[in-house]
Amino acid sequence: LGETALARHAARTALICGDEQVSYAQLARQVRRAAGALAAMGVRPGERVLLLMRDTPEMAAAWLGVVRAGAVAVALNSKLSEDDYRHIHADSAARVALIEDVFVAARPDLAQESAAQGGLVVVGASDHRVAGAASWRDALHAARDDLPAHDARRDDPAFWLYSSGTTGRPKGIIHTHGNLLLAGMGQREVLGLGADDRVLATSKLFFSYALEHGLVGPLSLGATAILHPDWADPDSICALVARHRPTAFFSVPSFYRTLLDQPEVARAPLAAVRYFVSAGERLPASVNDAWQRETGREILGLYGMSETFCVAMMTPPGTVRGPRTGRPLSGVDAILRDEAGVEVGAGKPGVLWLRHPAIALGYANRPEATQEQFVDGWFCTRDVFVRDADGFYAHQGRSDDFIKVAGQWVQPGDVEEAVQGEAAVSEAACVPVTDDVRGACELLGLD
């Protein structure tokens, strides 16, 4: 959105959302105005700004405006528990919280709490209903749009990503302005996307996967990002594909399974998509096989983490083979290590360590966790992979998920994938159950 980019892309469409289309020039003005509104509120560089908003152009402009102002953008999961929301608010020491009116209406107690603490700014038409809250749209209307961008250094924090909290309270992952510049690595290197392409991601923008591939990556390429405000469902996504014809489609295995369950006529528009990409969890080979049969297209694997923000490895078109997740992108180094920390060779499982150009600074307020996982420029993913002779990595699961059964280490995901290969089974879950008689662990499959 800088002057050089706008000279090339000003009139091009940056964002599509429903009937709304926003050009690069329009988005740049909205971002400048958002940054001006935050400055008028007294938000200073380095201070955190929470955003609890649907995935709309207004949210995109606000998020980018926070970064332009030198503050730190923290997009929040709209399905957080109230305890997790309070935890993140306190953990981040947020200066301001931008909350869309639909979420204010859904959680009035939290809204009143935030307003009483100060710094609540409501986005939407019903701003006046919350005592003590400011109106974002009023602030935008009054804001200047000619303030220069904050003169950030490469290692200055630009945004935090909060982990899902599956292993305790959500952790704030600190990313920099330099990391942000690397968005779109895989879209550029592996898919060759450019200014004539449209991109659709079904995940929400508070996830690093969608933030990179559904917003910031496309903008870095001069491409068009198709936004879907609410949580994805098959009908709405198929309708978006039919209407806007994206070049590349980014989703997760569970959603691909759901799409396969739709009638053929509903899935028909998907045949025009050039690239399908999957991340977030291991993609079963059975799902990819079924997808190729139904659409004639393969699903490309992608792997990254919130701690790297940008993708770390992808499977290029034409190289999908069985369980392959991908191979490292340019500038990304990967090592597999055993329990003793010794590097393992091809064909042997090991915990993946990454050295990535977009690696996070660490975890906010968690020096011990940062020291444990961020070591000498490397990050311990705690994911187990196997590397094949061609340099492709196949995800095996989490190192803390493996279970010893009859003296052998077993990954429950392998059992689930094997069971789901049966035509009569639509879904499967595998959980450990201790045998009280023998004191051993067995695996119980549920369908």
Side-chain angles (χ1 to χ4, degrees):
L1 302 177
E3 294 305 318
T4 302
L6 289 177
R8 299 193 305 272
H9 305 305
R12 289 183 178 274
T13 301
L15 306 174
I16 294 176
C17 186
D19 294 328
E20 185 178 5
Q21 296 199 14
V22 181
S23 72
Y24 273 82
Q26 291 170 330
L27 179 59
R29 285 194 296 272
Q30 292 172 14
V31 171
R32 291 196 301 269
R33 195 170 290 278
L38 292 164
M41 292 175 184
V43 176
R44 297 185 298 273
E47 292 185 320
R48 272 71 64 196
V49 176
L50 305 183
L51 299 99
L52 183 58
M53 302 170 65
R54 294 177 303 146
D55 292 355
T56 62
E58 189 169 36
M59 183 273 184
W63 192 95
L64 292 164
V66 173
V67 175
R68 180 182 174 86
V72 179
V74 186
L76 298 180
N77 187 334
S78 59
K79 293 187 176 181
L80 281 174
S81 70
E82 294 197 358
D83 283 346
D84 280 343
Y85 177 84
R86 291 186 179 97
H87 162 72
I88 291 174
H89 196 287
D91 186 63
S92 65
R95 173 72 171 76
V96 165
L98 301 179
I99 304 182
E100 195 169 349
D101 53 4
V102 292
F103 301 120
V104 169
R107 298 182 176 184
D109 292 344
L110 270 181
Q112 292 295 345
E113 228 175 87
S114 296
Q117 294 169 354
L120 174 63
V121 182
V122 181
V123 183
S126 57
D127 305 355
H128 62 282
R129 298 179 187 174
V130 182
S135 162
W136 179 238
R137 292 181 181 174
D138 286 351
L140 289 175
H141 181 73
R144 295 175 57 181
D145 65 358
D146 59 350
L147 296 176
H150 173 67
D151 188 14
R153 295 172 300 180
R154 192 172 189 86
D155 290 335
D156 285 345
F159 63 103
W160 290 10
L161 297 168
Y162 267 89
S163 66
S164 61
T166 54
T167 56
R169 288 290 195 185
K171 300 190 295 287
I173 301 162
I174 306 171
H175 281 286
T176 67
H177 285 265
N179 293 355
L180 193 58
L181 293 175
L182 295 166
M185 290 173 60
Q187 292 171 321
R188 186 179 296 106
E189 177 181 333
V190 179
L191 304 183
L193 301 183
D196 294 327
D197 293 304
R198 293 182 172 186
V199 178
L200 172 62
T202 65
S203 298
K204 309 308 294 174
L205 293 179
F206 51 77
F207 291 120
S208 59
Y209 177 39
L211 179 62
E212 183 193 6
H213 297 96
L215 178 63
V216 188
L219 292 180
S220 76
L221 302 168
T224 300
I226 303 167
L227 301 181
H228 179 56
D230 301 306
W231 290 81
D233 64 83
D235 290 340
S236 61
I237 294 302
C238 288
L240 278 180
V241 171
R243 182 177 183 184
H244 299 301
R245 301 178 66 83
T247 308
F249 182 93
F250 293 81
S251 193
V252 296
S254 58
F255 200 76
Y256 281 112
R257 288 193 199 99
T258 302
L259 288 172
L260 283 169
D261 291 337
Q262 303 308 302
E264 185 176 351
V265 64
R267 293 197 314 268
L270 294 167
V273 176
R274 190 186 311 161
Y275 300 117
F276 292 101
V277 181
S278 176
E281 57 182 305
R282 183 167 56 175
L283 177 68
S286 59
V287 173
N288 209 339
D289 291 344
W291 191 262
Q292 290 189 57
R293 287 196 303 271
E294 297 296 328
T295 68
R297 302 283 189 182
E298 60 189 356
I299 302 176
L300 308 177
L302 179 151
Y303 176 80
M305 302 194 75
S306 296
E307 286 84 352
T308 64
F309 171 48
C310 296
V311 59
M313 57 180 70
M314 284 187 71
T315 304
T319 65
V320 173
R321 304 284 189 280
R324 284 178 171 176
T325 303
R327 62 186 178 199
L329 270 62
S330 299
V332 177
D333 295 319
I335 290 178
L336 299 182
R337 295 175 176 167
D338 62 18
E339 294 175 335
V342 177
E343 184 175 358
V344 300
K348 297 182 179 180
V351 174
L352 176 68
W353 286 73
L354 289 173
R355 187 161 57 190
H356 195 292
I359 197 167
L361 293 180
Y363 299 117
N365 309 315
R366 302 213 181 183
E368 292 182 0
T370 299
Q371 187 175 15
E372 181 182 350
Q373 286 190 259
F374 295 83
V375 181
D376 296 331
W378 291 84
F379 173 70
C380 177
T381 68
R382 293 182 175 165
D383 282 327
V384 176
F385 280 81
V386 171
R387 186 180 73 253
D388 66 23
D390 296 322
F392 284 87
Y393 289 72
H395 187 240
Q396 307 296 298
R398 296 285 292 172
S399 60
D400 47 8
D401 283 346
F402 277 76
I403 302 163
K404 184 163 282 190
V405 181
Q408 297 186 56
W409 288 107
V410 177
Q411 165 55 236
D414 290 338
V415 180
E416 293 171 354
E417 185 170 341
V419 172
Q420 285 172 185
E422 295 295 325
V425 178
S426 59
E427 295 183 359
C430 181
V431 296
V433 176
T434 301
D435 185 323
D436 293 332
V437 177
R438 295 184 297 167
C441 180
E442 297 185 349
L443 292 175
L444 174 65
L446 305 175
D447 68 81

